[in-house]
């Protein structure tokens, strides 16, 4: 069994035109290498995708259209 202190948390965020909230929501992840953050952008038109691509704590998955949450 893995050492509990070596485990990582995976956080998944789905966003659509959420730019006004992203800075606040993502801030805690910048200094926490013990978590991975995946963000799925559903075709935002407010600059969210560009902001997310440049964010150091985020792995971005762009859908291109707002199709809701699909796995």
């Amino acid at each position: 069994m893995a050492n509990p202190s070596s485990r990582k948390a995976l956080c998944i965020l789905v966003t659509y035109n959420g730019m006004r909230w992203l800075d606040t929501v993502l801030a805690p992840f910048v200094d926490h290498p013990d978590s991975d953050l995946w963000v799925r952008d559903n075709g935002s038109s407010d600059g969210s995708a560009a902001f997310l691509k440049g964010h150091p704590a985020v792995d971005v998955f762009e859908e291109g259209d707002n199709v809701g949450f699909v796995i």
Side-chain angles (χ1 to χ4, degrees):
M1 183 168 202
N3 179 349
S5 64
S6 67
R7 293 184 185 162
K8 288 185 115 179
L10 172 60
C11 302
I12 301 172
L13 173 68
V14 178
T15 185
Y16 175 72
N17 288 337
M19 186 62 210
R20 62 182 161 188
W21 299 288
L22 288 177
D23 205 30
T24 301
V25 170
L26 301 178
F29 293 94
V30 173
D31 295 323
H32 292 287
D34 57 339
S35 62
D36 289 330
L37 177 60
W38 293 358
V39 179
R40 179 183 171 133
D41 183 78
N42 282 339
S44 295
S45 60
D46 67 348
S48 294
F51 174 80
L52 292 166
K53 286 179 188 176
H55 199 281
V58 174
D59 289 315
V60 181
F61 302 87
E62 288 183 86
E63 182 58 38
D65 294 318
N66 186 2
V67 296
F69 186 67
V70 179
I71 297 177

